[in-house]
Amino acid sequence: MAEHHTAPDYKHKASSNAAGALSGNGRAGSSGGSGGLSGGLTQPAGWQSLLSFTILFLAWLAGFSSRLFAVIRFESIIHEFDPWFNYRSTHHLTTNGFYEFLNWFDERAWYPLGRIVGGTVYPGLMLTAGLIHYVLNLLNVTVHIRDVCVFLAPVFSGLTSISTFLLTRELWNQGAGLLAACFIAIVPGYISRSVAGSFDNEGIAIFALQFTYYLWVKSVKTGSVFWAIACCLSYFYMVSAWGGYVFIINLIPLHVFVLLLMQRFSRRLYIAYSTFYIVGLVLSMQIPFVGFQPIRTSEHMAAAGVFALLQAYAFLQYLKDRLTRQEFQTLFFLGVSLAAGVVFFTVIYLTYTGEPYHHLYAKIHIPIIASVSEHQPTTWVSFFFDLHILVCTFPAGLWFCIKNINDERVFVALYAISAVYFAGVMVRLMLTLTPVVCMLSAIAFSNVFEHYLGDDMKREKPPAEDSSDEDDKRNSGNLYDKAGKVRKHVSDIVTMLMLMLLMMFAVHCTWVTSNAYSSPSVVLASYNHDGSRNILDDFREAYYWLRQNTDEHARVMSWWDYGYQIAGMANRTTLVDNNTWNNSHIALVGKAMSSNESAAYEIMKSLDVDYVLIIFGGVIGYSGDDINKFLWMVRIAEGEHPKDIRESDYFTPQGEFRVDKAGSPTLLNCLMYKMSYYRFGEMQLDFRTPPGFDRTRNAEIGNKDIRLKHLEEAFTSEHWLVRIYRVKKEDNRQGLDHKPRNLSQKQKYISKKLMGGKCAPRGAWLAWRRGAL
Amino acid sequence: MLAEKVDQMMEWSSRRSVIRMNGDKFRRFVKAPPRNYSVIVMFTALQPQRQCSVCRQANEEYQVLANSWRYSSAFSNKLFFTVVDYDEGADVFQQLNMNSAPTFMHFPSKGKPKRADTFDLQRIGFASEQLAKWIADRTDVQIRVFRPPNYSGTIALALLVSLVGGLLYLRRNNLEFIYNKTGWAMAALCVVFAMTSGQMWNHIRGPPYAHKNPQNGQVSYIHGSSQAQFVAESHIILLLNAAISMGMVLLNEAASSKGDVGKRRIICLVGLGLVVFFFSFLLSIFRSKYHGYPYSFLIK
């Protein structure tokens, strides 16, 4: 019943999505329309599945095409920072094979330490991309591995919407499922991590997450080992893909625990969880990076505790059949209160000392974590920006779920509450909230449409068509007949306004995707007044210069943000990179950047640095440059070397951070400042501003006469965005510390003596030689 | 003379970890040579009529630090913690040309205090750990801050548990309310609304309730930037979100309940109005914060 009535609406939804996504609009509109208008009502089941299939296909298409902004505007290129590492290791995998990849020791990262890549990554992403590449090549479709990597996330977004459809169908009904699939296909909260080119773990992990949840709900519903094993396999894929699997291994036990509290224990639950826990545990330990963590660390203990509790509970249930009532009650009270108490307090203890608080703590205390913008708490604007109307309507869906509770709706309610908490703590966890918001909003909207669109359908359809839904319809018909004309108009208005809200959602999603989430950040674009576009390709220009003009084993020092890109694009050895596992090494680089030149030279010599790469945005007004990140370098350096670096030295006495004449002398003479503004003082950008005017910080720089002693400028890109300096080698022989004036006196003295015909002492003669040199 | 001063200071500090000073004492024991001990002085205004809430917080942290020092094994006569209250030693404030409280200063055992001997309260804050770091920097005395364990959280939890337990015990014959879905649904929605309106952000960042423009006294409840928010603003958003959700629920109620048709129509219209109006309102607030956002609905 519900499906019939709601289905045409989803068609509208899907086509409006596709239209919003700019591409494929004509096709989407026409095929969606024909699906709805065709009079295939004689076979309801066939009609329904065809429509579902079409809608899911269109959702996939809309999701895929709305992720292509960056590819169309720029080119097929890997984005940002982390994806470059993933791409590099995928490339390594495809060229050297699986075992080489697992044993890969990357000596080009973290010089001189190196990095064991095979044991410190979640390999799922690379293996997926590598497998697709392999299969395509077997079929003689010769694509480059880069293209596979670029388009992997958009393709997987389609799979995500299908698994969301499946999960929502299990939770509510098919109509809500279709709506949820459409939502998740285009919602910005998920697009932010899965545009074409952002080749990152999250892109495939959200699919794995949703699919695991679907299989879990399915196995709780059926109680069959088959579904539980399928759930484990999906969980295994998730573990191999993303560290966020911890969320699953805590949520599913929580679900079981709450079901026990609600006295909803059943054999089905027992079979599902026992199978899931044991097989899932063994499988998850097969990933080298995870190893023995599942039986060691606190995040995984809740799962073990609930497993024990479930066994105890089942055992008691078994005893209940064997013992007398009196005996049993005593035993029951003792056992259950003890076990429940222990488990409950363990869970509470773990949630408090586990992930979220850990992050909260880290955020306050460790500069390197605080410096990453993804680890900030979330404002309401971010929620609204990423979810738009869904964030306002999903509580309604949650309400409906709790009011009509059953086993699997307990699950979705727990999912919603825990995910919303984590999303509030940390911006990046918005990603785990997005799917559940889509599902619950879809439930809310589908509920409304079921009631208000149903009216329309009834009026249009002659009453004697569906024999199966006959009674139901007549009932509702009778109910609404009393309302008469006005009622009909009201429901029309409701439908129209709801559709309008959904349309606005689609438009919002497209706008956000296009404007906020489709920048590769490797290539920048600027727009002129007439709308024409300038491409600033400085990053790749500089990296390519490094690749072509430096020694193959040259070591490049830069701030950690650019480590992966240098390794990926320039193929040179880096000191630190985005895998920020070694704080002291990063602090050493930070110290070099924030010391004066000669102190920095000592550090750079000890680290064998050949080149230094910095990002400077003062010419074009690029705000994400190294001077703006500089205080973090100082803070991180101060954390490890408090005697040498002090943050307060870099501020003016008034506590300001300024680069102009009023800035602190320590800042004006540190290496980073010198490298950023070297020769910049001679440069006049336009006639209104003095030479050496920094556009990012809107200030005339304070130190225009910069001379470098141990470094020399090697390369500066077209818009000065990337500047590379060569570290000069030491002189063959170091000059003495003696003052030259002393020597010349000595020289005079010696010559006098020589003239006097006496033999000069040997030391003096040596000194004279040195002076002459 | 020196030995006498040290003895006097030791006696005071054995009685109280923070020595209270007035103008005369300050001049005799802190300013005047000869000295072989460092003194940390907190200049503050703790009298209630001064209404200095920061002073009180700073004082607590300072007491924690002084106690850590007083009862540590490294306690010696090299370092003393003192306090000068404005109402007891206003002349000291004038003498040092000081016009803000609280201020922490270090008077080294030799020579005059330098610039770095004034603690940079604005930038670092006044946590005891930061103070200890600063003291270690100035005097080479390492103090491990030992905070008296805070039992208030545990006590609150125990109270809550016993309250809930007591309630359950009293109503043990009628435990129906535990199975009340509406109650649970309400609780779940409360969590959701609190999070989606950014209460966690408020909790971590501690923004002001609203901003009052000092020039014209205008109060703005909405922060102009999309990166930040006021507490009042997050409450407004919470209400808007709740209203929209309620609208959706009402729309559903209107259609599914079996009641008077006219009443149901009104409920339906009210629900629709809630959803549409408050959503456009929310959108307009969002638009005012997120500059360059092009879309609006009903309300500009």
Side-chain angles (χ1 to χ4, degrees):
Chain A
M1 173 67 199
E3 293 78 13
H4 288 257
H5 290 184
T6 46
D9 166 56
Y10 305 126
K11 171 211 69 195
H12 286 301
K13 180 76 197 108
S15 52
S16 74
N17 291 347
L22 290 184
S23 53
N25 43 2
R27 211 181 109 72
S30 62
S31 60
S34 65
L37 291 175
S38 67
L41 295 171
T42 41
Q43 279 181 311
W47 190 81
Q48 191 179 320
S49 56
L50 176 68
L51 199 59
S52 306
F53 181 80
T54 315
I55 290 164
L56 284 177
F57 177 73
L58 286 175
W60 190 326
L61 204 68
F64 183 81
S65 27
S66 70
R67 282 164 170 81
L68 296 187
F69 277 111
V71 172
I72 291 166
R73 280 188 198 149
F74 299 96
E75 61 188 283
S76 163
I77 184 185
I78 305 285
H79 289 189
E80 295 194 319
F81 305 107
D82 285 16
W84 275 101
F85 168 75
N86 296 332
Y87 168 61
R88 183 159 159 258
S89 27
T90 313
H91 195 261
H92 189 87
L93 169 73
T94 48
T95 43
N96 297 319
F98 177 63
Y99 287 103
E100 269 302 307
F101 169 70
L102 273 190
N103 296 322
W104 184 22
F105 181 80
D106 182 9
E107 75 277 359
R108 300 223 141 174
W110 291 95
Y111 182 86
L113 309 167
R115 176 183 177 187
I116 308 163
V117 175
T120 56
V121 290
Y122 291 101
L125 181 74
M126 295 98 186
L127 293 181
T128 310
L131 190 72
I132 292 173
H133 182 247
Y134 177 73
V135 169
L136 285 178
N137 272 317
L138 270 191
L139 301 172
N140 286 323
V141 185
T142 50
V143 284
H144 192 269
I145 182 67
R146 191 198 59 228
D147 291 316
V148 176
C149 294
V150 166
F151 292 104
L152 187 75
V155 169
F156 264 75
S157 76
L159 292 175
T160 309
S161 54
I162 288 175
S163 49
T164 306
F165 161 73
L166 292 172
L167 179 54
T168 319
R169 191 179 62 178
E170 293 301 320
L171 294 171
W172 202 258
N173 58 27
Q174 189 148 6
L178 289 172
L179 204 48
C182 295
F183 284 161
I184 195 135
I186 58 164
V187 68
Y190 176 43
I191 286 191
S192 65
R193 292 319 184 100
S194 63
V195 289
S198 96
F199 178 56
D200 217 341
N201 292 334
E202 290 92 331
I204 62 168
I206 294 301
F207 157 68
L209 183 88
Q210 287 292 88
F211 199 58
T212 310
Y213 285 156
Y214 161 65
L215 291 170
W216 166 250
V217 164
K218 195 81 187 169
S219 55
V220 170
K221 264 186 155 176
T222 56
S224 95
V225 176
F226 171 75
W227 287 111
I229 294 285
C231 178
C232 292
L233 290 175
S234 172
Y235 173 66
F236 176 55
Y237 184 62
M238 174 74 187
V239 177
S240 78
W242 194 36
Y245 76 88
V246 177
F247 184 47
I248 298 184
I249 199 62
N250 281 301
L251 185 60
I252 287 179
L254 185 67
H255 180 213
V256 175
F257 183 63
V258 171
L259 284 182
L260 284 189
L261 282 187
M262 292 171 76
Q263 300 176 340
R264 283 173 174 271
F265 173 81
S266 61
R267 294 264 164 87
R268 290 175 284 117
L269 185 68
Y270 180 76
I271 293 169
Y273 187 68
S274 302
T275 318
F276 170 78
Y277 179 68
I278 295 297
V279 181
L281 181 77
V282 171
L283 283 178
S284 68
M285 283 161 68
Q286 306 308 311
I287 305 295
F289 189 31
V290 176
F292 279 90
Q293 276 179 40
I295 50 172
R296 261 200 213 139
T297 56
S298 60
E299 298 101 274
H300 300 81
M301 283 306 128
V306 169
F307 179 69
L309 180 74
L310 192 69
Q311 304 306 320
Y313 196 93
F315 180 65
L316 280 177
Q317 291 280 322
Y318 172 77
L319 280 187
K320 199 173 169 185
D321 303 338
R322 309 280 151 136
L323 295 174
T324 64
R325 207 179 156 72
Q326 192 57 45
E327 281 171 334
F328 178 73
Q329 266 187 350
T330 341
L331 206 72
F332 179 83
F333 264 111
L334 270 176
V336 167
S337 53
L338 210 72
V342 167
V343 169
F344 181 71
F345 280 107
T346 323
V347 168
I348 289 217
Y349 174 74
L350 291 178
T351 33
Y352 270 83
T353 53
E355 278 292 271
Y357 264 72
H358 189 75
H359 281 300
L360 283 183
Y361 178 81
K363 200 174 319 177
I364 300 163
H365 294 276
I366 304 175
I368 193 146
I369 293 192
S371 75
V372 179
S373 61
E374 282 180 336
H375 296 164
Q376 310 298 327
T378 317
T379 58
W380 75 267
V381 174
S382 322
F383 276 107
F384 191 82
F385 188 72
D386 277 351
L387 302 168
H388 196 246
I389 189 151
L390 305 187
V391 80
C392 325
T393 50
F394 97 95
L398 185 61
W399 175 271
F400 296 139
C401 275
I402 297 183
K403 289 295 261 187
N404 308 302
I405 202 90
N406 60 20
D407 285 0
E408 57 271 16
R409 286 175 196 163
V410 172
F411 178 74
V412 80
L414 291 171
Y415 183 7
I417 292 167
S418 51
V420 81
Y421 169 73
F422 289 122
V425 175
M426 218 201 270
V427 172
R428 67 180 294 191
L429 294 179
M430 185 74 87
L431 189 68
T432 48
L433 173 68
T434 304
V436 71
V437 165
C438 289
M439 294 192 298
L440 288 176
S441 277
I443 288 172
F445 272 108
S446 128
N447 239 348
V448 169
F449 283 130
E450 252 169 52
H451 293 307
Y452 291 91
L453 225 82
D455 238 358
D456 282 15
M457 294 300 289
K458 193 209 62 159
R459 270 183 285 116
E460 282 163 20
K461 269 192 282 177
E465 248 171 314
D466 285 24
S467 52
S468 59
D469 291 334
E470 190 76 16
D471 296 336
D472 197 5
K473 193 178 294 158
R474 193 161 287 157
N475 284 344
S476 68
N478 289 340
L479 208 77
Y480 289 128
D481 277 346
K482 293 180 204 155
K485 268 254 152 48
V486 188
R487 172 78 202 171
K488 193 187 75 195
H489 288 311
V490 167
S491 74
D492 279 350
I493 292 170
V494 170
T495 316
M496 234 166 60
L497 281 172
M498 285 294 143
L499 281 180
M500 229 167 124
L501 290 182
L502 288 183
M503 224 169 69
M504 288 181 62
F505 170 68
V507 172
H508 170 90
C509 291
T510 315
W511 185 84
V512 168
T513 310
S514 154
N515 285 288
Y517 292 138
S518 292
S519 154
S521 85
V522 174
V523 184
L524 306 172
S526 70
Y527 294 90
N528 298 333
H529 293 297
D530 56 352
S532 63
R533 194 171 52 141
N534 287 333
I535 298 278
L536 310 178
D537 211 354
D538 284 40
F539 286 104
R540 287 198 295 174
E541 184 192 344
Y543 294 138
Y544 202 66
W545 183 88
L546 271 178
R547 198 183 185 106
Q548 294 293 318
N549 295 291
T550 60
D551 182 71
E552 196 193 344
H553 297 289
R555 291 155 293 260
V556 183
M557 180 170 93
S558 71
W559 191 235
W560 60 264
D561 297 23
Y562 311 104
Y564 280 162
Q565 290 185 347
I566 293 171
M569 283 189 258
N571 195 20
R572 290 294 172 266
T573 308
T574 57
L575 273 74
V576 290
D577 63 31
N578 309 47
N579 174 29
T580 51
W581 60 278
N582 189 330
N583 194 27
S584 64
H585 211 55
I586 292 177
L588 210 54
V589 171
K591 189 183 169 191
M593 296 290 192
S594 40
S595 315
N596 62 36
E597 197 187 341
S598 42
Y601 186 58
E602 291 304 315
I603 300 173
M604 291 192 291
K605 264 195 318 194
S606 69
L607 291 171
D608 289 342
V609 177
D610 294 315
Y611 292 89
V612 187
L613 180 145
I614 56 154
I615 308 296
F616 171 60
V619 175
I620 53 162
Y622 173 70
S623 62
D625 69 349
D626 278 347
I627 294 278
N628 277 2
K629 290 174 186 169
F630 184 60
L631 278 182
W632 288 112
M633 302 183 201
V634 173
R635 275 173 208 155
I636 292 167
E638 189 187 11
E640 296 277 327
H641 309 278
K643 292 276 174 214
D644 303 315
I645 306 288
R646 275 198 202 86
E647 195 188 343
S648 52
D649 292 347
Y650 295 84
F651 289 102
T652 60
Q654 288 77 41
E656 290 168 302
F657 180 74
R658 310 176 61 146
V659 295
D660 56 6
K661 279 211 172 60
S664 90
T666 319
L667 173 68
L668 262 51
N669 288 298
C670 73
L671 186 70
M672 177 53 77
Y673 189 92
K674 279 182 150 183
M675 287 193 298
S676 290
Y677 294 118
Y678 181 63
R679 293 199 302 118
F680 187 63
E682 306 155 12
M683 189 186 193
Q684 187 163 20
L685 287 168
D686 56 41
F687 296 111
R688 280 163 297 175
T689 55
F693 185 80
D694 184 332
R695 281 185 179 165
T696 308
R697 287 153 284 271
N698 284 324
E700 187 185 349
I701 61 171
N703 184 0
K704 287 190 187 171
D705 181 31
I706 294 172
R707 282 157 213 270
L708 292 169
K709 191 174 165 212
H710 301 290
L711 297 161
E712 60 184 351
E713 186 180 3
F715 177 79
T716 295
S717 64
E718 189 186 349
H719 303 96
W720 289 47
L721 201 53
V722 185
R723 311 196 71 180
I724 300 172
Y725 290 83
R726 184 183 296 113
V727 181
K728 287 188 204 163
K729 294 286 166 225
E730 280 177 273
D731 295 336
N732 272 350
R733 183 192 287 168
Q734 282 183 321
L736 279 185
D737 287 340
H738 299 302
K739 309 291 173 293
R741 211 173 47 151
N742 253 353
L743 289 176
S744 69
Q745 272 175 355
K746 234 172 220 168
Q747 195 178 353
K748 241 180 226 165
Y749 170 72
I750 291 162
S751 59
K752 230 190 255 171
K753 283 210 166 172
L754 282 176
M755 267 190 269
K758 278 183 199 164
C759 197
R762 190 177 154 74
W765 183 77
L766 274 178
W768 174 76
R769 276 279 314 262
R770 275 186 195 146
L773 281 170
Chain B
M1 174 71 175
L2 180 64
E4 189 186 314
K5 270 169 77 172
V6 174
D7 284 344
Q8 180 67 59
M9 288 292 271
M10 279 305 272
E11 195 207 320
W12 278 330
S13 65
S14 66
R15 245 182 278 153
R16 244 171 153 185
S17 53
V18 174
I19 306 167
R20 290 195 82 86
M21 295 249 169
N22 55 23
D24 295 334
K25 280 188 195 164
F26 178 78
R27 273 182 288 277
R28 184 165 138 69
F29 289 97
V30 181
K31 284 291 271 188
R35 265 186 305 125
N36 62 356
Y37 49 85
S38 300
V39 186
I40 309 292
V41 187
M42 175 173 70
F43 297 96
T44 188
L46 286 173
Q47 297 299 322
Q49 74 266 21
R50 300 277 165 213
Q51 293 187 339
C52 175
S53 60
V54 186
C55 297
R56 231 159 291 146
Q57 293 166 19
N59 186 41
E60 275 166 27
E61 292 293 315
Y62 191 64
Q63 295 286 354
V64 167
L65 182 68
N67 281 326
S68 309
W69 168 241
R70 173 70 188 77
Y71 297 106
S72 78
S73 53
F75 178 69
S76 69
N77 55 10
K78 291 284 163 242
L79 178 68
F80 295 103
F81 287 90
T82 61
V83 58
V84 177
D85 199 299
Y86 183 79
D87 296 286
E88 292 166 20
D91 46 337
V92 179
F93 276 71
Q94 275 153 22
Q95 195 181 346
L96 290 170
N97 206 358
M98 200 170 283
N99 41 23
S100 69
T103 307
F104 295 95
M105 271 184 85
H106 165 241
F107 291 85
S109 49
K110 288 185 198 68
K112 297 211 160 203
K114 299 183 189 61
R115 194 168 75 86
D117 280 316
T118 307
F119 182 67
D120 190 353
L121 196 92
Q122 296 291 333
R123 205 170 54 76
I124 320 180
F126 44 70
S128 328
E129 286 78 10
Q130 295 293 345
L131 277 165
K133 221 167 114 189
W134 170 68
I135 290 169
D137 195 39
R138 302 309 310 169
T139 65
D140 290 324
V141 174
Q142 302 282 350
I143 305 175
R144 232 182 100 240
V145 175
F146 178 74
R147 284 180 186 278
N150 189 354
Y151 292 113
S152 62
T154 324
I155 290 173
L157 190 74
L159 264 179
L160 192 77
V161 168
S162 56
L163 202 75
V164 170
L167 206 72
L168 287 184
Y169 182 75
L170 282 179
R171 301 193 56 173
R172 64 186 174 281
N173 300 324
N174 184 12
L175 284 176
E176 277 306 302
F177 71 99
I178 291 182
Y179 303 105
N180 185 354
K181 285 176 196 157
T182 316
W184 287 105
M186 285 288 201
L189 290 201
C190 284
V191 175
V192 167
F193 287 133
M195 286 300 158
T196 54
S197 61
Q199 301 302 325
M200 188 49 102
W201 195 92
N202 291 348
H203 178 72
I204 292 172
R205 290 293 155 83
Y209 189 77
H211 177 71
K212 191 172 179 187
N213 192 333
Q215 265 98 52
N216 50 16
Q218 221 166 27
V219 181
S220 54
Y221 294 103
I222 310 289
H223 197 285
S225 148
S226 61
Q227 306 290 322
Q229 61 187 19
F230 293 132
V231 176
E233 177 185 346
S234 68
H235 290 164
I236 295 172
I237 300 304
L238 193 151
L239 290 180
L240 292 182
N241 277 344
I244 295 167
S245 295
M246 205 169 87
M248 290 298 266
V249 173
L250 283 185
L251 275 178
N252 186 58
E253 289 292 310
S256 59
S257 68
K258 294 184 176 63
D260 175 41
V261 175
K263 203 169 137 197
R264 274 168 49 188
R265 200 166 68 220
I266 289 169
I267 294 179
C268 166
L269 284 176
V270 167
L272 188 67
L274 280 176
V275 172
V276 171
F277 176 73
F278 284 112
F279 182 70
S280 9
F281 191 41
L282 185 63
L283 200 62
S284 78
I285 295 180
F286 176 74
R287 215 168 112 92
S288 74
K289 281 173 74 86
Y290 202 92
H291 305 289
Y293 184 72
Y295 307 114
S296 65
F297 184 56
L298 298 182
I299 308 170
K300 263 284 168 201

